[in-house]
Amino acid sequence: MDRSGPLVSVLMNCHNCSDFLQEAIDSVYFQTYENWEIIFVDNASNDKSREIAQSYDKKLKYFYIDKKIPLGNARNKALTKAKGEYLAFLDCDDVFLPGKLRKQVCEMQSGNFGMCYGSAYHINKNGDVIGKRKALNKKGELFRKLLMNYDINMQTVMIESNLIKKFNLNFNQELEFSPDYDLFMEIAVISNIVSLGEYLSKYRLHCDSLTQKSQHLICKEGVYTLNRLSDKYSYIDDKYKLSIKFSESTFKIQEAIFFLREGDFLKSQRALSNCWFINPKAFILLILILFRISPNSILKIIGRGK
């Protein structure tokens, strides 16, 4: 067991998450790395979340918000309370694997990295593995690679807190679905990153999760972030122009898929009208839509069916 080393602040934001909360918190207490604190922000829960969180010792620091605020605001509240040299993130329905913090602290200390992330298992409400998000071993300037293939799962991320302070970074409070994408992509612009092929966390997919409820915002907020970063860091528009266009096309594909699930062929077609020539997947999807194949069949063909 590691009984020394830099402090890691694990930021947990909660709104009525009592069903999976104990398992999530326990996964931090079961870490092989011991120098951590939990910054627990309870975003106006009215279930048993407070009771569960306050049943732990002083390593869990509990903060209650009496009126529900947007996710980006709540994450920023947690940031202001964190004292660690490194920051990690755990939503209350997800799970850290036991060696997660130890592996990442070692990796962060081995080089000048602003952020580290790794692979994640996807689990269902019963904890069964139903999929995975595999990251590759890579390090350095990864902004272009993330534009081409965004493979970051938030529950695997660790950030150097001094980077947040130095550049005055935070979670964008205007974004409902993707304040994490917005922050992590900005970090990729300004610092070196390391990703690990090892599995670090379990990410739970279920019908009540924010991800499942906010699919319609993926494109809007993703394109917003790319435009914001291009405005703030003007050099990236020239340096990564084609990669940025490709990234925008992947968001448009997500938007088209959302409309397909709604049964709206016309809006799906419009979503792809300006990107079908950039991304082969967009071209294939547009052809299937133009042939008026049933939405369920299209989703199965492209691997998005149930």
Side-chain angles (χ1 to χ4, degrees), residues 153-169:
N153 181 285
M154 185 174 190
Q155 320 310 323
T156 72
V157 168
M158 180 174 285
I159 297 174
E160 182 187 20
S161 61
N162 282 340
L163 186 74
I164 299 291
K165 298 171 185 174
K166 179 180 178 180
F167 291 93
N168 194 28
L169 303 178

Side-chain angles (χ1 to χ4, degrees), residues 3-40:
R3 300 185 182 277
S4 60
L7 177 67
V8 178
S9 295
V10 179
L11 278 54
M12 298 186 71
N13 289 89
C14 173
H15 175 69
N16 292 339
C17 297
S18 59
D19 287 350
F20 305 106
L21 182 54
Q22 184 172 344
E23 182 182 5
I25 296 174
D26 283 349
S27 75
V28 183
Y29 276 81
F30 293 158
Q31 288 296 297
T32 58
Y33 186 85
E34 291 191 338
N35 194 19
W36 52 260
E37 63 174 3
I38 294 176
I39 304 299
F40 191 97

